[in-house]
Amino acid sequence: MARKTRVTPKGLPLPGKPVRGSETGRPIMALLDLASRRGLLRIVWELRHGALKFRPLQQACGDISPTLLNQRMKDLREAQLVELSDEGYRLTALGQGLRRAFEPVSVWAEQWAQELNRN
Amino acid sequence: MARKTRVTPKGLPLPGKPVRGSETGRPIMALLDLASRRGLLRIVWELRHGALKFRPLQQACGDISPTLLNQRMKDLREAQLVELSDEGYRLTALGQGLRRAFEPVSVWAEQWAQELNRN
DNA sequence: AAAAATGCTACTGAATTAGTAGCATACGTC
DNA sequence: GACGTATGCTACTAATTCAGTAGCATTTTT
């Protein structure tokens, strides 16, 4: 019996293309795939206050390995969420939009913590 | 030279505990770790309209493997985001809160798609 | 009793990530 | 020109996570 052929590509998830777990190309699916790549959202989070160079960013992300950091920077640059400037890596306008959109989630996380502590 | 000892546990990321990539126990860090587990946010997303039983949920998530689905259900139940009822798996009040908090992100994803299509 | 549905486990192979070392280029300094 | 330093990044191996398939145990339905 042949193994199921891979239909979702290994490449970067972007809206309009099939991604891991979904063929529709819907933006939300691309985002969900992106978000599941370890460290990606963390990087966006750590860039919220401004640009950071490679090693400081690495530190800020809990001493993430340079391999992974660089992979994620490729992802983020291809997705046009981050760009490399003289001051280091920084969020693009799009990236800042994501960061803002993510704010309610971080607020919710605090409530989540409170609820869990009541049990 | 000894390898760096693992300090962040393999277990479920929850607020108050160290998680992969962060020792602080801050809720947002637990959430970022959770979000990076493949399929987890997707599951929350697919449960947005109500309860689903195991196999329908599996289908909705793009035929995710039952192994992974079950792992995620353990994660989500431990995090008190999902519970198993007679109608199947469904979001708890906390889980629904996350889903609502996630709404701006899904809206942003649409804008993201539009921006990328202009290039 | 038979059939179907349910939640779930076992197993192997593939993909992703962790962790460490170090390269290549650019820059300033002595 | 030799030296030290900072920069972004690559190479490599080992560990972890995930994909994909088969099928079990229990309950519900017919």
Side-chain angles (χ1 to χ4, degrees), chain B residues 99-114:
Chain B
R99 234 289 296 153
R100 276 194 303 273
F102 202 71
E103 222 154 83
V105 178
S106 71
V107 171
W108 172 88
E110 302 286 341
Q111 299 172 356
W112 176 46
Q114 285 186 9

Side-chain angles (χ1 to χ4, degrees), chain A:
Chain A
M1 186 64 176
R3 219 144 226 267
K4 188 196 289 186
T5 312
R6 170 187 282 276
V7 282
T8 51
K10 294 173 47 180
L12 187 75
L14 288 180
K17 310 194 313 179
V19 300
R20 297 180 300 189
S22 175
E23 302 300 309
T24 62
R26 286 171 55 205
I28 183 66
M29 290 303 158
L31 178 69
L32 288 175
D33 187 350
L34 261 188
S36 75
R37 305 196 162 202
R38 192 167 300 164
L40 192 139
L41 288 182
R42 172 69 177 272
I43 292 170
V44 173
W45 178 257
E46 297 299 344
L47 289 178
R48 68 192 182 284
H49 296 318
L52 284 175
K53 289 178 182 284
F54 195 90
R55 280 171 177 76
L57 179 54
Q58 195 184 354
Q59 272 200 324
C61 292
D63 291 310
I64 185 181
S65 80
T67 318
L68 189 56
L69 179 55
N70 194 40
Q71 276 179 11
R72 290 300 165 263
M73 293 333 277
K74 276 183 190 160
D75 295 346
L76 286 166
R77 290 162 89 172
E78 192 172 344
Q80 301 189 24
L81 301 179
V82 164
E83 63 195 355
L84 181 52
S85 73
D86 283 349
E87 292 85 42
Y89 290 104
R90 73 173 166 212
L91 297 177
T92 63
L94 269 176
Q96 291 177 17
L98 173 56
R99 234 288 296 153
R100 275 195 302 275
F102 202 71
E103 222 154 83
V105 178
S106 71
V107 171
W108 172 88
E110 302 285 343
Q111 300 172 355
W112 178 46
Q114 286 186 9
E115 281 297 320
L116 290 187
N117 283 341
R118 290 149 57 101
N119 304 3

Side-chain angles (χ1 to χ4, degrees), chain B residues 2-4 38 53-55 66-67 70 74 77 89:
Chain B
R3 219 144 226 265
K4 191 196 289 187
R38 192 170 300 164
K53 288 178 181 286
F54 195 91
R55 279 173 178 74
T67 318
N70 194 40
K74 277 183 192 162
R77 291 161 87 172
Y89 290 103

